[in-house]
Amino acid sequence: SERAAATALQRSLLPARLPSVPGGELAARYVPGGEAGVGGDWYDVFTLPSGRLGVVIGDVVSHGLRAAVIMGRMRSALRAYALETEDPAVVLEKLDRETGNFEPGVMATVGFAIYDGLVERRNIPVDDGLNRLCGVLEAGSSAEGACATIMDKLLAGQDPNDDIALVILCQTSAPNPAEEE
């Protein structure tokens, strides 16, 4: 009966459906543990008040109803902290402090990220930002050239309100099947 309760609790705390992401697609899965029983694994994807997307994945070290309950507490606390600040480091620091104080001896691994920034601006549809990004890319550019062009044209000398991370991968030639082995 404890396993059934833990499974029901775990499933009730996972997102019923994932948010819609303009210009993107989300998918997620949860598979409960086998003989060890349901653990404290979870994922969460939610839209923040700014319109940005919060993405979380975590694992409470343990199994059974206790792990599922702790997971639920951590999930709720993380969502609350994400409403206060959109800085993942601050959110995770607060979650760590809360967990250490109210769940002594519990160990968990949690990753939290905030999605987009370069093409997403307040009051501008994401599709417009993606179209701007595609419009500045030039065929045949080197990875370094593409980075410089994107940053120059999309920021246009403005200081960003948020961090921007940009990684470009340019394929310079068709892959050689013999080298892939």
Side-chain angles (χ1 to χ4, degrees), residues 80-170:
Y81 297 140
L83 290 175
E84 292 177 5
T85 179
E86 289 192 15
D87 182 336
V90 173
V91 170
L92 290 174
E93 182 180 303
K94 288 181 176 201
L95 181 65
D96 183 56
R97 191 171 49 234
E98 186 269 345
T99 302
N101 189 53
F102 294 110
E103 307 291 348
V106 167
M107 189 166 99
T109 305
V110 180
F112 176 50
I114 305 280
Y115 175 70
D116 222 350
L118 183 61
V119 297
E120 182 182 83
R121 299 282 192 265
R122 290 176 198 240
N123 304 321
I124 298 175
V126 172
D127 286 346
D128 290 354
L130 290 171
N131 289 333
R132 286 180 56 224
L133 176 63
C134 291
V136 300
L137 292 175
E138 298 173 20
S141 292
S142 68
E144 198 60 47
C147 279
T149 299
I150 289 168
M151 297 305 281
D152 180 55
K153 292 193 177 183
L154 292 186
L155 288 178
Q158 298 175 359
D159 288 331
N161 292 333
D162 198 2
D163 294 346
I164 295 173
L166 175 64
V167 176
I168 300 289
L169 173 62
C170 292

Side-chain angles (χ1 to χ4, degrees), residues 43-55:
Y43 64 87
D44 199 3
V45 182
F46 50 91
T47 304
L48 295 161
S50 67
R52 296 173 77 197
L53 195 67
V55 182

